[in-house]
Amino acid sequence: MRFEAITWERMAGALAAYVDGLRPGDGGPWLKVGIDGPPAAPGADLAGRLGEALRVRGRSVAVVATEGFLRPASLRFEYGKEDPDTYYSGWFDTGALWREVFAPLEPGGTGRILPDLWDPAADRATRTPYTELPPGGVLVLHGPFLLGHWFPFDLTAHLSLTPAALARRTEHPWTLPAFARYDTETTPATTADILIRADDSSHPAWSGLPG
């Protein structure tokens, strides 16, 4: 696979132009984009840039982070606060993501999505009101482990770090085995439509847009 050096700004603009020309794969009126990558990668920043670039093109956008859909602490820490297997498969409430984010954007859906559900610091519901994404709008969901749940994305990008870069930039080293397991079981580097190398966050490179 060949990679091209690119700035984050140019990447967001190119992604926005590409997304603007897509049609939803499920036949509904909403597009769904996934920005996958560990917290050590600048996925949140790329998702925000993409959202702004799409808004400039006149598209309504909802940028949603999976960290807003954590499970309660009693479930996340059932096997201790540093269990990588639970982090991999039990921290994020994928059922709530399906129910509150993806289901309303199915053909015939209401378009009313919940931007976040759980505040991990307070360990309680956020009470954030629902927001309506009008027909023609774009969901941009970002976070780790997105590619193993059959989420109905129309486009996916994976931000990749070498093991050394990931270890150096990860705030909680105990989570590293979870990312190794994800790479082995889900192979995001080949599953995603676009692969982005983010070892040097100031100088990314990518595989380019899907042909």
Side-chain angles (χ1 to χ4, degrees):
M1 183 180 295
R2 298 181 63 180
F3 287 85
E4 172 193 358
I6 191 172
T7 66
W8 293 112
E9 184 177 5
R10 283 181 51 218
M11 187 189 302
L15 284 171
Y18 184 82
V19 170
D20 198 31
L22 287 178
R23 293 185 177 180
D26 61 8
W30 297 283
L31 284 165
K32 308 164 193 73
V33 178
I35 306 294
D36 176 65
D45 180 68
L46 178 58
R49 289 175 180 268
L50 175 57
E52 287 303 312
L54 284 166
R55 292 184 186 103
V56 169
R57 290 177 166 270
R59 303 296 290 264
S60 296
V61 182
V63 178
V64 176
T66 58
E67 66 180 12
F69 286 84
L70 291 178
R71 296 180 185 276
S74 60
L75 298 176
R76 298 199 312 276
F77 304 145
E78 183 178 3
Y79 299 102
K81 292 187 176 182
E82 297 186 356
D83 183 74
D85 289 328
T86 303
Y87 177 67
Y88 177 66
S89 60
W91 270 45
F92 300 95
D93 194 341
T94 55
L97 282 167
W98 275 105
R99 182 179 66 253
E100 303 291 358
V101 178
F102 287 105
L105 302 182
E106 293 177 350
T110 63
R112 293 181 70 250
I113 67 171
L114 193 62
D116 55 61
L117 179 66
W118 200 257
D119 179 350
D123 196 32
R124 64 183 182 188
T126 57
R127 303 184 187 278
T128 300
Y130 283 85
T131 183
E132 185 167 346
L133 189 62
V138 182
L139 167 71
V140 181
L141 179 68
H142 63 91
F145 313 133
L146 289 184
L147 302 180
H149 305 288
W150 301 98
F151 290 143
F153 293 120
D154 297 293
L155 183 71
T156 55
H158 173 68
L159 279 73
S160 172
L161 298 173
T162 63
L166 181 62
R168 184 171 63 252
R169 290 162 53 183
T170 294
E171 182 179 358
H172 302 293
W174 63 268
T175 63
L176 292 172
F179 297 111
R181 179 180 169 187
Y182 180 61
D183 286 343
T184 298
E185 295 184 358
T186 309
T187 59
T190 56
T191 302
D193 299 310
I194 299 168
L195 182 60
I196 301 166
R197 285 182 172 172
D199 296 326
D200 183 345
S201 58
S202 300
H203 300 90
W206 71 336
S207 59
L209 298 168

